[in-house]
Each structure stands twice: as C-alpha cells, then as structure tokens.
Amino acid sequence: MSDSEPSYIDYEAFLDPSFSPTSFANSLVVATNNSSDTSIDLSTPLSRVLFDIQEIDKHIHTLSTRSAIPLLIHTKQQADAGQRIVSEVEAQVASLTDGYERLEKEVIQRYEAAQEVQTAAERLWQTVKIGRAVGRCVLLGRQLEAQMVEVGGSGAPAAAKKEDHKAMIRASRTLITIRALLSASGPGEEGEHLGRINLILNLQNSLLAPSDSTLRTRSQQIIREFSMSSLSASSTATYAQSEETKARTTSAVLTLCLLSPQLLLSTLQTYLRTCLTSSLASIARALANLPSLDRTLQEVSARCQNIVALESLLENIKPPPRSLDTESEPLLMELSPGERPEEISNLLLPLLAALDTSSLPSFFWRSMAESLAPRVADLVSRGGQAARALKAQKDRVRDSIRECVLRGSQGPDRQSSSKGNSSEGAWEREAAVMVGCVLGALGR
C-alpha cells in the first residue's frame, strides 16, 4: 500500500505464511468479549471483519481504477508478444513436421525394412544351425552304423560280421555324443529344435535305440561268459586266447560303464550270483553223492579262479571319462562318504562297496558257506546212506574242501587276488569257514 494512503489493516499479519484464520477469529472474539460473561457476542467481531473486508475491497477498487490504463497497455504488450511467439513457433513446428516426414521416409521406413531383413537373417541362421546339428547327427549316425558293423551288430552284412570288441567302446562314445547333442535342447543350445525333426526321430528309433540295446546285450553276454580258469575240464585256451578274453571283457566292462554304470554293477553282481548259485547247488549234490565230490570241487575252484581273474581285471580298469560325470553317480553312491574320491581309481572299488566286502573270492566263499550250512544240516537230519557216507569220510571232505578253497583262490596264472600276498595262508580263514559250514553239522 502507498504511503499516501495509510491503512489501519495489518497486511503483514495476513501475508505471514504462519497466518491461521482460526487463531485470528479466536483473538477477535476474545478481544471483544469479557471472559466472565456467560454469553458470547459474535456480532461485534463479525462487524469488524466485514468492515475490514469492505476496506480491502475499496482499496482494490481504487488501485484498479488508478492503474487501469497501465494494466491494459501491459496486457496488450503481452498479447502482442505472445502472438509473435506463436508465429515463430508455428514456423518452427512446420519445419519440424517437414523434418519428421523426411526422417520417416529416409530412416524409419528403412529401419522397418532393416528389421524385416534382420528377422529373415535370424531365421535363416536358425535354419543353418538346425541344418548343421542335423548334419552332425546324421554324420555321427553313419559313424555309429559303421562301428556297429565292426561290432557285428544285427545290421551288418553276413560277410562283415567279424566281431571287433574295441568297436563297442567306440560305438558307445559315439552313442553318448549323439545323445548329448540331442539332450542339449535348451534355448540357444545346439540341439534346441532337433526333437521336432522327423529324420532325427527316425534316427533315434531305427539306430540309436537298437544300437544301445545291442551294445548292452553284447557286453552283458561277454561278462556272463567270462572264463579264465585253467582248472576247467574243457579249458584248452592258449596264452593268446586268454589275453583276447581279457581284452574282450575289458571292452565289455568299459562299454557298460559308458552306457550305464548302474547296469555294469548289476551285471557283475549277476555274474557273481550265478557262480555262487551254481557252485552251491553242485556242492550240495556232490555231498549227497561223494564219488562226484572231487570233480564238483574242481569246477567250483575253476569258478572261483574266474572270479579272481575278474577281480584282477577290474582292478586294472580305470573308469572312462564319460563315467566320471553325473552318470557315475551310481558308482560313487556305492562308496561310503569317507571313501568317495574325487575320481574313482578303478572299477573294482564300487563293486566291493556294493557287496560290502574287501575281496570277491572272500565274498564268494563266505556267501557259499552261509548258504551251504543249512543244506548240509538238512542232509544230515534226513539220514540215510548219504549222511552216513558223509560222516564216515568227513576227513576226506575236509581236506578236499580246504584244497578247493586254496586252489580256487589262486588266479589262473597262479597269482592271488588283490586281497593280499600270493601265499595259501592268506586264504586259510576262508578255507576254515567253508570246512566249518560242512563239518559243523557232522560233529567233530
């Protein structure tokens, strides 16, 4: 407010940021009323407020009237300036519009065309990747097919069916490579879309599955037929033939280890159970017919020698790299946590761990003794000529069984198993267990 027009209104109080209308109204009421009165008079403070409003309105009217011409001139100047700005802006907008249209034509449309080209290129690259993966699968399939011919698989011509046991290992590795390629089906991986290709599906059904079955069956057959004993009546194998048997069995073991470590353990355990079952049955029959005991014990010793030879063979076979990844978990699980190395040193350890024994011959003799004792007891309890003959010749039976254990625990090349040294004393405990299971039922 001008100094020439003083006003009693305290504009500073109203303009103060901390001004509160309720506090101001309260102060007016308190100033115009006595605090001891029971009734409150609001007309006086209200009149004062109305009077202040009229004063302010009068002041605004006076200022507006006095400054009307300067305000109109200022407004006109602002309007003219705004019009000039609008004219300039419109020119700029028109220029920007032209520039955008040119940009759209020269850049955006070309970008859209480039995007289409990029999409086409990406799809072509994806097609090339699929083609390369399919080509690699087909190439590996042809390689596997040729290797199966070397193995002597069902797809080989009659003239070409000459078995090459080492080809089983090569075929197993090729089969694993193909399956690794097919299993890499994640986004961006090499085999991402191979499962949708009919050629690959046919390859899996007509080649991979039959080859896998053939390799497993052939390997299991070789292990089941493993025989290195020099005690067998039909054994006339030369040194070269024995070495060939070792090599064939090694190839079969490695093949199963590559394809399925769990199947390898199962096959080896089956071989041991077969030897154990047949030996147990033949000894039980021989004890009931003593004239056949020597020949039967000779056969049992031969089976144990085969087991000793198998133990020595497994001890010298190191698992192939394929079986040391996640597929080797069945092998590692057979070992106790404190015995699990970073790498399995040989294929004998998991088998011993699965059988809970320190030696395969020891497992053979102790398992046989455990199962033979009730059979001998049953034979004695039935009585008859067989029981009387067995009791009468128990010294001969004792010596024969002891000799059978000691003879069988020596390998075909007269080398003891991995249990210890090559002396017969290392197997006296097993011999005593076998003798005890028979003579225990006869009485001392």
Side-chain angles (χ1 to χ4, degrees), residues 1 13 34 45 70 73 83 98 106 126 141 152 155 180 183 216 253 302 311 313 331 335 344 361-362 373 376 388 418:
M1 185 175 176
N34 191 346
I73 294 173
Q83 187 62 38
D98 293 340
E106 296 179 356
Q126 190 67 35
S183 63
R216 293 183 186 222
V253 168
E311 182 182 57
L313 191 66
L331 295 176
L335 301 176
I344 303 175
S362 177
V376 177
R388 290 193 296 272
S418 61

Side-chain angles (χ1 to χ4, degrees), residues 322-341:
R322 175 66 176 87
S323 67
L324 294 178
D325 55 13
T326 55
E327 291 294 330
S328 66
E329 188 64 20
L331 295 176
L332 291 173
M333 289 304 294
E334 299 299 341
L335 301 176
S336 62
E339 296 174 341
R340 294 180 190 172

Side-chain angles (χ1 to χ4, degrees), residues 68-208:
I69 294 176
L71 288 174
L72 291 175
I73 294 173
H74 178 73
T75 302
K76 184 177 183 304
Q77 292 174 346
Q78 292 296 321
D80 294 341
Q83 187 62 38
R84 289 192 299 271
I85 292 174
V86 169
S87 300
E88 292 293 332
V89 169
E90 287 179 349
Q92 296 295 328
V93 169
S95 176
L96 288 175
T97 302
D98 293 340
Y100 177 79
E101 291 176 353
R102 185 172 61 257
L103 181 66
E104 182 180 17
K105 181 179 180 181
E106 296 179 356
V107 177
I108 297 179
Q109 292 178 359
R110 293 183 181 180
Y111 172 76
E112 292 174 351
Q115 276 191 317
E116 295 178 358
V117 173
Q118 180 185 12
T119 302
E122 288 176 350
R123 292 177 180 177
L124 287 173
W125 170 241
Q126 190 67 35
T127 304
V128 170
K129 285 179 61 178
I130 296 175
R132 286 180 177 176
V134 172
R136 186 182 175 203
C137 277
V138 171
L139 181 62
L140 289 172
R142 290 177 179 174
Q143 179 178 324
L144 177 61
E145 191 174 21
Q147 290 166 344
M148 292 304 297
V149 171
E150 296 175 6
V151 171
S154 57
K161 287 187 178 180
K162 182 180 180 181
E163 179 181 301
D164 180 6
H165 57 83
K166 293 183 179 180
M168 293 195 302
I169 302 177
R170 297 194 296 270
S172 299
R173 293 190 183 280
T174 303
L175 186 60
I176 289 171
T177 302
I178 297 176
R179 287 183 171 170
L181 177 60
L182 295 177
S183 63
S185 56
E189 294 184 324
E190 188 175 5
E192 181 179 358
H193 300 289
L194 291 181
R196 299 159 56 186
I197 309 298
N198 290 334
L199 176 62
I200 302 302
L201 296 178
N202 292 335
L203 182 69
Q204 289 179 290
N205 296 329
S206 62
L207 181 61
L208 300 189

Side-chain angles (χ1 to χ4, degrees), residues 132-302:
R132 286 180 177 176
V134 172
R136 186 182 175 203
C137 277
V138 171
L139 181 62
L140 289 172
R142 290 177 179 174
Q143 179 178 324
L144 177 61
E145 191 174 21
Q147 290 166 344
M148 292 304 297
V149 171
E150 296 175 6
V151 171
S154 57
K161 287 187 178 180
K162 182 180 180 181
E163 179 181 301
D164 180 6
H165 57 83
K166 293 183 179 180
M168 293 195 302
I169 302 177
R170 297 194 296 270
S172 299
R173 293 190 183 280
T174 303
L175 186 60
I176 289 171
T177 302
I178 297 176
R179 287 183 171 170
L181 177 60
L182 295 177
S183 63
S185 56
E189 294 184 324
E190 188 175 5
E192 181 179 358
H193 300 289
L194 291 181
R196 299 159 56 186
I197 309 298
N198 290 334
L199 176 62
I200 302 302
L201 296 178
N202 292 335
L203 182 69
Q204 289 179 290
N205 296 329
S206 62
L207 181 61
L208 300 189
S211 298
D212 180 80
S213 177
T214 298
L215 290 172
R216 293 183 186 222
T217 302
R218 185 69 56 83
S219 300
Q220 288 179 293
Q221 179 183 359
I222 292 174
I223 293 176
R224 285 196 301 267
E225 296 173 353
F226 175 76
S227 177
M228 294 283 295
S229 174
S230 59
L231 300 177
S232 176
S234 59
S235 176
T236 58
T238 64
Y239 174 79
Q241 291 173 330
S242 298
E243 291 301 311
E244 176 66 15
T245 299
K246 290 181 181 180
R248 291 176 71 249
T249 306
T250 299
S251 297
V253 168
L254 290 175
T255 298
L256 285 183
C257 191
L258 285 166
L259 296 178
S260 173
Q262 185 60 54
L263 181 60
L264 172 61
L265 288 178
S266 175
T267 303
L268 293 174
Q269 292 178 23
T270 300
Y271 176 82
L272 294 175
R273 285 195 297 268
T274 300
C275 293
L276 182 61
T277 302
S278 57
S279 299
L280 181 63
S282 60
I283 289 181
R285 289 194 301 268
L287 290 176
N289 184 21
L290 288 181
S292 63
L293 181 62
D294 291 339
R295 177 172 52 83
T296 299
L297 292 179
Q298 183 85 354
E299 295 174 355
V300 173
S301 295

Side-chain angles (χ1 to χ4, degrees), residues 282-294 297 372-401 434-444:
S282 60
I283 289 181
R285 289 194 301 268
L287 290 176
N289 184 21
L290 288 181
S292 63
L293 181 62
D294 291 339
L297 292 179
L372 185 60
R375 297 197 180 194
V376 177
D378 181 65
L379 175 63
V380 173
S381 65
R382 288 201 308 266
Q385 180 65 30
R388 290 193 296 272
L390 187 60
K391 290 181 179 180
Q393 301 185 46
K394 64 180 181 179
D395 291 338
R396 174 203 165 199
V397 171
R398 179 183 62 246
D399 295 339
S400 297
I401 292 178
M434 279 294 295
V435 170
C437 78
V438 176
L439 300 187
L442 300 179
R444 298 283 177 175

